[in-house]
Amino acid sequence: MIKITLPDGSIKEFEQGITAHQIALSISEGLARNVLAAEINGQTWDSNRPITADANVKLLTWNDAGGKATFWHSSAHVLAEALESLYPGTKFGIGPAIETGFYYDVDFGEHQISSDDFKRIEDKYLEIARTKAEFTRTAVTKTDAIDYFTLKGDEYKLDLIKDLPDGSITFYQQGNFTDLCRGPHIPNTSFIKAVKLTNIAGAYWRGDETKKQLTRIYGVTFPKQSELSEYLLMIEEAKKRDHRKLGKELELFTFSEKVGMGLPLWLPKGTALRERLVSFLQKAQQKAGYEQVITPHIGHKNLYITSGHYEKYGADAFQPIKTPQEGEEFFLKPMNCPHHCEIYKFKPRSYKDLPIRLAEFGTVYRYEQSGELHGLTRVRGFTQDDAHIFCRPDQVKNEFKKVIDLVLYVFKALGFDNYTAQISLRDPAKKTKYIGSDENWQLAENAIIEAAQEKGLNTVTELGEAAFYGPKLDFMVKDALGRKWQLGTIQVDYNLPERFELEYTGSDNLKHRPVMIHRAPFGSLERFVAVLIEHCAGNFPLWLMPQQFIVLPISEKYEEYAKSVLDSLNNNDICGLIDLRDEKIGRKIRDAEIKKIPYMLVIGEKEMESGVVSVRKHSAGDVGEMTIEAFTNHLEQEIKISN
RNA sequence: GCCGACGUAGCUCAGCGGUAGAGCACUUCCUUGGUAAGGAAGAGGUCAUGGGUUCAAGUCCCAUCGUUGGCUCCA
């Protein structure tokens, strides 16, 4: 008998050789039907693999990330089988599960394939899935594995086997298809009820551009047809919310070939939105003790030699601008910190002055490969809501906490309630990769961990993800469609204070080196606005709306009164417009709805007589008559609540 | 940067060897209309750019530029 410990802490005894599936069966038949795989002492196993010793067992279903991963990995094998059956001679690279779905890299040889072939492949796929073929695991020797794939003529699998130690190699077979695979897999193919091939793309074998390019087919599968339908709806919704589409429709921003790729042009409405974001953060930062600074868009080459960026990124940056007479070289600034270091050095600093918090909405320029550019999320010129905090080592933790407060305040105001924080620490095994003393790293890492803990953040910790100059805390938000985005970041830096020889005089009258904290709650305004657009589908909170209301006179006769309504409402915080077109009211309403203007004020005979406005709320409809004062109060109230 | 797809009116797209099209937007006129499209007329295009094939090229081929899905990279 062996002892099996379940996640709730309960311990059950079973015969040696029991499987996860059988354990599930002992709990309930329904559970057994849904078990896809199991975590045995932290490792994922097939649900039909015998357990031979005492173990901690967690049964994995579709509701567990591990269950989904297993499901999708198995789904990739079925895709391979379908492809092999439709296109004999196809060679296979790798076919892993990804965040949503899976892909398989394949070499079709001479054969060309396109998304037009998806239907045919999907049909074959489901045909195979319905055969209820079991996934069976076999341990093989390296020689046998090599023989098998040599015979099959699949050089990619051979390339993979080459790097595997003998004795750890396993094959999985379902139906007519056998693949080199570590596993685990779902019990049989019939768990897969719905499939959708989503995408096709080229990918180099092992991500190496000197190697052959394979065809990568992306797909996603589900245990229920209805889940596929939901997924497809979500994709549709995501398309509707695409910030590039909404940015054009709502006239927020554009790009121009003539200006250059990756260089966004902010249109008046987009600028109004962005200005509101900026002044919102400026106010919050002013309260939090930041001082605003302004620095130029270029910096002397020497600045970046000092900062170390020239050495590390100089060759991959926009190339320098040269002065015609003196031949001096200037770089477009790729970040603001070196400039801010020079501001710190403007005069001697005392420990009593610290922390000094220098903030700048600084526009920076980074060369991104042309294939990488994407709407506002990936551009070559963007504005960071940057700030650098220069503090004493003993102040790091408290400053971190203050920054976390600021970031959370920003998220809350903008409706991002679903976020996690990633603590990125250095890889303790590779200390030479990083600069700075052990003591300082220890101090900074502890400061971050404690600060995050004391703020009650939901965190994940990643070793080896720190920057070479210090640990960091990154914020990931989930948007309304459940997609993850990395937004704000807070980073500790020992490198720049060292390189710029920043100092302060301590209470001991000796020179000390300050610690620098880089932080940006939005990250880049461009990227943030893109995420915000997709998060709220263009229906921004009222206080951010470029235009908060529109006055809609029913006919020419009420124009004068309508104009007076507009004048009495417009002020610094509230901004609206008027629709004086020779159109019927239904038309004006429709157009205002499409433009996502939050409030429509319908004005006709009635309203003019009694000095009121009829208010219609975007997508909600008529909300009745109000006096102008009442409407103003209503707007101000709504702005206050969301801010 | 690499591989694939795409580039036709301001926008969304049809046309795929034989005289450039539609809807919306725009302009003018009619209409003064009460909560998601009133009517009519008009204007608008070197079919991304440059070469080539052909009697004839948005349409086929090549190159360039741009957009896009991936790959790789991201201070």
Side-chain angles (χ1 to χ4, degrees):
Chain A
M1 297 297 267
I2 55 171
K3 285 197 178 74
I4 299 296
T5 311
L6 295 168
D8 64 1
S10 66
I11 297 173
K12 289 190 172 188
E13 292 220 339
F14 291 100
E15 297 274 331
Q16 199 185 33
I18 187 96
T19 66
H21 179 260
Q22 289 162 328
I23 294 171
L25 207 53
S26 78
I27 299 169
S28 90
E29 223 170 286
L31 179 62
R33 265 200 304 278
N34 289 318
V35 167
L36 300 173
E39 234 174 74
I40 313 294
N41 297 328
Q43 275 195 318
T44 14
W45 276 31
D46 303 294
S47 63
N48 60 3
R49 187 167 165 190
I51 302 164
T52 52
D54 291 358
N56 289 306
V57 173
K58 185 183 179 208
L59 302 169
L60 298 175
T61 68
W62 179 251
N63 296 322
D64 302 290
K68 279 196 177 74
T70 305
F71 188 89
W72 283 326
H73 181 199
S74 301
S75 298
H77 280 233
V78 177
L79 174 62
E81 186 179 352
L83 293 174
E84 190 169 62
S85 137
L86 290 171
Y87 312 101
T90 298
K91 296 170 189 173
F92 296 93
I94 56 165
I98 52 178
E99 196 172 326
T100 307
F102 57 92
Y103 66 80
Y104 219 117
D105 283 347
V106 297
D107 180 354
F108 286 111
E110 295 302 299
H111 194 79
Q112 284 278 331
I113 204 167
S114 78
S115 52
D116 299 336
D117 301 302
F118 282 1
K119 182 76 182 66
R120 191 168 159 231
I121 301 169
E122 285 165 3
D123 290 345
K124 187 76 192 172
Y125 193 106
L126 287 176
E127 191 186 313
I128 292 169
R130 288 195 200 101
T131 60
K132 205 172 176 178
E134 287 184 10
F135 286 87
T136 51
R137 178 178 189 274
T138 329
V140 294
T141 64
K142 192 161 180 169
T143 326
D144 287 348
I146 290 171
D147 287 349
Y148 179 82
F149 283 107
T150 306
L151 190 68
K152 206 179 167 193
D154 197 327
E155 67 257 34
Y156 305 105
K157 293 294 175 190
L158 288 170
D159 195 32
L160 292 172
I161 292 167
K162 186 175 79 186
D163 300 335
L164 295 175
D166 201 358
S168 70
I169 300 174
T170 50
F171 278 5
Y172 273 84
Q173 184 183 7
Q174 92 273 3
N176 300 319
F177 183 78
T178 302
D179 203 356
L180 169 75
C181 184
R182 188 189 307 129
H185 283 286
I186 58 177
N188 68 64
T189 58
S190 76
F191 279 68
I192 304 167
K193 302 291 191 210
V195 63
K196 175 80 187 163
L197 299 183
T198 50
N199 209 345
I200 186 163
Y204 296 104
W205 174 235
R206 305 205 133 178
D208 180 347
E209 64 180 80
T210 65
K211 300 226 165 84
K212 180 156 183 192
Q213 186 155 32
L214 307 181
T215 306
R216 175 169 297 179
I217 298 182
Y218 287 87
V220 62
T221 50
F222 296 94
K224 280 188 199 160
Q225 184 64 40
S226 61
E227 295 200 40
L228 173 60
S229 311
E230 265 169 46
Y231 171 78
L232 293 175
L233 271 179
M234 198 276 284
I235 298 289
E236 278 308 302
E237 184 59 30
K239 267 188 205 155
K240 275 188 223 155
R241 290 169 177 238
D242 189 317
H243 75 277
R244 293 167 300 182
K245 179 173 178 286
L246 285 174
K248 198 184 279 180
E249 285 171 8
L250 300 178
E251 299 185 2
L252 300 175
F253 60 89
T254 187
F255 290 89
S256 148
E257 256 181 63
K258 274 221 173 85
V259 171
M261 58 165 85
L263 300 170
L265 303 174
W266 289 81
L267 302 172
K269 285 176 193 160
T271 305
L273 170 72
R274 176 176 153 154
E275 293 282 304
R276 284 163 189 256
L277 273 176
V278 167
S279 73
F280 159 74
L281 188 55
Q282 264 170 345
K283 270 184 219 154
Q285 288 184 164
Q286 197 185 356
K287 272 188 217 154
Y290 289 78
E291 297 169 289
Q292 203 75 24
V293 297
I294 295 173
T295 67
H297 286 239
I298 62 175
H300 198 282
K301 180 176 170 182
N302 288 336
L303 181 68
Y304 301 107
I305 290 176
T306 300
S307 72
H309 292 107
Y310 179 74
E311 193 190 356
K312 206 163 161 49
Y313 297 103
D316 296 318
F318 283 117
Q319 290 308 290
I321 305 159
K322 278 190 191 164
T323 57
Q325 305 286 329
E326 303 84 350
E328 283 182 298
E329 294 184 306
F330 290 85
F331 278 89
L332 282 167
K333 74 174 170 187
M335 69 258 109
N336 305 299
C337 22
H339 287 80
H340 291 184
C341 285
E342 288 301 303
I343 290 179
Y344 178 90
K345 288 183 80 169
F346 162 70
K347 63 178 184 183
R349 308 289 184 173
S350 148
Y351 73 100
K352 293 176 193 163
D353 299 333
L354 302 182
I356 291 169
R357 309 182 188 91
L358 302 179
E360 174 173 18
F361 288 87
T363 306
V364 298
Y365 301 88
R366 296 179 183 177
Y367 169 74
E368 301 285 358
Q369 298 185 104
S370 57
E372 274 313 310
L373 301 172
H374 180 94
L376 282 186
T377 59
R378 201 65 187 275
V379 288
R380 284 176 168 174
F382 58 96
T383 304
Q384 294 178 311
D385 56 330
D386 210 358
H388 297 96
I389 300 167
F390 301 87
C391 65
R392 305 189 305 261
D394 64 286
Q395 292 173 319
V396 170
K397 179 171 153 191
N398 200 39
E399 284 307 303
F400 235 88
K401 283 166 76 171
K402 290 185 76 165
V403 177
I404 292 172
D405 283 338
L406 185 68
V407 171
L408 297 189
Y409 169 68
V410 168
F411 284 1
K412 183 159 181 279
L414 291 157
F416 293 107
D417 329 305
N418 198 336
Y419 53 82
T420 53
Q422 176 179 313
I423 302 175
S424 299
L425 306 178
R426 68 176 170 170
D427 182 347
K430 294 181 190 159
K431 285 186 181 171
T432 49
K433 259 178 63 184
Y434 308 92
I435 64 140
S437 70
D438 268 359
E439 191 193 341
N440 277 338
W441 270 87
Q442 200 68 49
L443 210 63
E445 294 192 344
N446 288 343
I448 294 184
I449 293 166
E450 284 167 28
Q453 217 162 42
E454 287 169 33
K455 284 291 158 195
L457 288 181
N458 182 9
T459 58
V460 288
T461 303
E462 296 288 342
L463 292 178
E465 287 293 305
F468 74 94
Y469 50 76
K472 59 181 182 175
L473 183 69
D474 292 324
F475 287 85
M476 326 285 230
V477 301
K478 256 194 186 176
D479 73 7
L481 296 185
R483 297 170 302 174
K484 276 190 204 157
W485 301 86
Q486 198 218 300
L487 291 178
T489 179
I490 319 176
Q491 311 183 353
V492 180
D493 186 352
Y494 293 107
N495 180 38
L496 285 182
E498 193 76 34
R499 286 180 162 270
F500 279 89
E501 298 177 324
L502 305 185
E503 291 176 339
Y504 65 89
T505 308
S507 55
D508 53 7
N509 202 25
L510 295 173
K511 299 291 185 198
H512 296 272
R513 189 125 291 162
V515 180
M516 206 169 157
I517 298 172
H518 307 247
R519 42 105 282 171
F522 294 150
S524 120
L525 282 170
E526 281 72 9
R527 185 181 162 78
F528 190 83
V529 167
V531 174
L532 187 62
I533 291 170
E534 304 207 358
H535 179 58
C536 63
N539 297 305
F540 305 105
L542 188 65
W543 64 278
L544 275 177
M545 274 286 175
Q547 288 155 341
Q548 289 138 326
F549 68 92
I550 184 164
V551 181
L552 308 177
I554 281 176
S555 87
E556 260 167 28
K557 291 183 222 155
Y558 319 109
E559 245 188 66
E560 211 165 309
Y561 175 62
K563 281 180 179 164
S564 75
V565 169
L566 178 70
D567 287 344
S568 58
L569 282 170
N570 266 338
N571 64 44
N572 290 335
D573 295 320
I574 299 172
C575 174
L577 69 165
I578 187 164
D579 187 348
L580 294 175
R581 290 177 307 163
D582 180 11
E583 291 291 350
K584 288 192 176 179
I585 192 66
R587 180 51 179 275
K588 293 184 181 182
I589 286 171
R590 177 182 151 81
D591 289 346
E593 287 281 347
I594 288 170
K595 284 194 233 161
K596 298 180 188 286
I597 297 171
Y599 288 99
M600 287 152 266
L601 306 180
V602 176
I603 284 172
E605 186 85 40
K606 272 192 309 193
E607 291 78 9
M608 192 166 72
E609 298 279 287
S610 42
V612 296
V613 292
S614 280
V615 181
R616 181 189 162 101
K617 199 172 155 106
H618 176 261
S619 75
D622 197 348
V623 293
E625 290 179 10
M626 276 187 208
T627 62
I628 293 167
E629 293 70 41
F631 178 65
T632 311
N633 288 338
H634 181 81
L635 282 189
E636 281 170 356
Q637 203 57 32
E638 188 176 334
I639 287 170
K640 218 177 278 169
I641 289 166
S642 59
N643 216 330

